[in-house]
């Protein structure tokens, strides 16, 4: 159980920010599969291990430039992104789409207790639309308050995603707890000045370099860590 003592504090948090992919929605296998299928055309082999260590949490254009080179034409990048997300959505629809264990209950609690919260994700707009449609996340989130990759914001581990999200919920880094799974996302949270991080271990990661509290179910989060 994650408690306030895990953060060395007594005062509850005033706001919450969630990463989405691999955190609220455990879709890492679907992303990895879609990247593998998409990059075959370019003679690039993509493994889950490579994705976790180098790319999880980063925006698509940055991943493509690292795989194919920084000089990859923008037209090629956009073609790959379109194809990758088409494959990803098809793969997702082949399974039962649902949020991570315990996530709905936690989101209900936060909403019922008027604790401000939002999402900061590297997902593009077309996937946010997809999640609103197939995961019914409009029950908890307002589109205009979700921080997603719009082609302008530098990708994680740049701090801007989380800085913008903190502004959205009007909470400082000290007042905010962040839920993240990917190394680049955790670094982004740290770079935004936040050390109140819960690592969501959706992939059973062994020997993580991070010492933050770890959960496999959002039911493991003591509700007393939030201002009520």
């Amino acid at each position: 159980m994650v408690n306030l003592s895990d953060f060395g504090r007594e005062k509850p948090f005033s706001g919450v920010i969630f990463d989405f992919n691999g955190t609220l929605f455990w879709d890492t296998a679907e992303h990895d599969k879609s990247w593998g299928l998409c990059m075959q055309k370019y003679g690039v082999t993509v493994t889950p291990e490579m994705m976790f260590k180098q790319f999880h949490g980063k925006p698509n254009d940055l991943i493509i430039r690292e795989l194919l080179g920084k000089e990859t034409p923008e037209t090629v990048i956009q073609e790959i992104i379109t194809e990758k997300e088409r494959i990803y959505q098809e793969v997702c629809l082949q399974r039962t789409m649902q949020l991570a264990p315990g996530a709905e209950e936690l989101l209900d609690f936060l909403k019922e207790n008027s604790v401000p919260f939002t999402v900061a994700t590297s997902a593009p707009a077309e996937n946010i639309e997809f999640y609103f449609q197939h995961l019914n996340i409009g029950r908890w989130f307002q589109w205009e308050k979700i921080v997603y990759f719009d082609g302008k914001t530098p990708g994680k581990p740049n701090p801007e995603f989380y800085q913008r999200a903190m502004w959205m919920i009007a909470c400082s880094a000290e007042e905010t707890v962040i839920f993240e799974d990917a190394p680049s996302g955790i670094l982004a949270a740290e770079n935004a000045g936040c050390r109140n991080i819960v690592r969501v271990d959706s992939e059973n990661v062994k020997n993580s370099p991070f010492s933050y509290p770890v959960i496999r179910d959002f039911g493991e989060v003591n509700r007393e860590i939030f201002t009520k």
Side-chain angles (χ1 to χ4, degrees), residues 3 35 40 62 65 78 97 109 114 123 127 140 179 225:
N3 298 294
W35 275 117
Q40 283 178 355
L62 183 59
R65 287 192 174 95
Q78 292 306 314
M97 290 185 62
F109 172 86
S114 300
N127 283 354
W140 307 286
F179 291 86
I225 75 170

Side-chain angles (χ1 to χ4, degrees), residues 122-178:
S122 296
E126 59 264 36
N127 283 354
I128 304 301
E129 291 279 9
F130 181 70
Y131 304 139
F132 270 90
Q133 180 179 358
H134 295 283
L135 287 169
N136 195 25
I137 63 172
R139 294 163 55 187
W140 307 286
F141 299 103
Q142 296 173 271
W143 172 270
E144 62 271 18
K145 291 190 176 181
I146 289 178
V147 181
Y148 62 93
F149 185 65
D150 57 6
K152 302 174 183 178
T153 304
K156 300 175 184 179
N158 186 285
E160 189 169 337
F161 272 92
Y162 281 117
Q163 290 170 337
R164 288 175 60 194
M166 289 175 198
W167 180 83
M168 289 285 191
I169 62 173
C171 290
S172 68
E174 174 62 25
E175 298 172 315
T176 304
V177 60
I178 292 175

Side-chain angles (χ1 to χ4, degrees), residues 18-26 100 179-182 200 202 218:
F18 298 93
D19 173 51
F20 197 80
N21 305 100
T23 298
L24 281 180
F25 180 44
W26 291 7
F179 291 86
E180 254 286 0
D181 71 303
V200 180
S202 55
F218 283 92

